[in-house]
Amino acid sequence: MVLKIKSISLILMFLFYITAGIYHFINPEFYVRIVPPVLPYKFAIVYVTGFLEIILGSLLIFQNTRYIAGWGLIIFLLLVFPSNIYVAMTNGEAMGTSPFIAWGRLPLQFPLIAIAFWHSKE
């Protein structure tokens, strides 16, 4: 049962990160809005993070690269956390969403980190 759950979460993570990464290139303006104002080169940040999501998500598929993907995603999630804090501090305005969703996104980062760590153990 645990193996099945782990396989399903692996597929979901793969799809989530690849899709999110692709959307950085399809709609970069959306992501630029959530880059904290103190950071320069917002479009470059959006493109680099999109590229990293695609690469790290792809590395999850191969068992021999899951360790790298898992730890890469943990670092990635920690590095983008300030954007989530920024969105929350604007009560969702930066992302065009409600305060409930903006603040609710913050704790979601921790299960994503835990799942990435779980997959890094393979």
Side-chain angles (χ1 to χ4, degrees):
M1 182 66 167
V2 172
L3 185 59
K4 188 172 187 171
I5 292 170
K6 198 166 190 177
S7 295
I8 291 169
S9 75
L10 185 67
I11 293 166
L12 291 175
M13 279 183 65
F14 165 77
L15 293 173
F16 173 77
Y17 288 109
I18 298 290
T19 302
I22 291 169
Y23 274 98
H24 280 69
F25 294 94
I26 292 173
N27 189 7
E29 291 83 9
F30 172 80
Y31 294 96
V32 164
R33 292 187 341 213
I34 66 172
V35 174
V38 299
L39 296 176
Y41 311 111
K42 292 177 184 357
F43 276 94
I45 290 170
V46 168
Y47 292 132
V48 168
T49 55
F51 177 75
L52 287 172
E53 282 183 304
I54 293 168
I55 295 300
L56 294 169
S58 298
L59 291 175
L60 284 170
I61 293 302
F62 308 104
Q63 188 169 359
N64 61 340
T65 57
R66 279 191 203 134
Y67 177 82
I68 295 167
W71 281 103
L73 286 168
I74 290 167
I75 294 166
F76 175 84
L77 290 165
L78 291 172
L79 289 174
V80 299
F81 195 63
S83 287
N84 292 331
I85 293 170
Y86 170 66
V87 170
M89 296 301 289
T90 67
N91 284 318
E93 270 187 52
M95 197 168 84
T97 191
S98 72
F100 177 77
I101 291 173
W103 286 96
R105 288 179 47 166
L106 291 178
L108 291 177
Q109 208 79 355
F110 301 105
L112 290 174
I113 289 170
I115 293 168
F117 180 72
W118 189 32
H119 288 294
S120 75
K121 297 288 187 191
E122 294 180 5

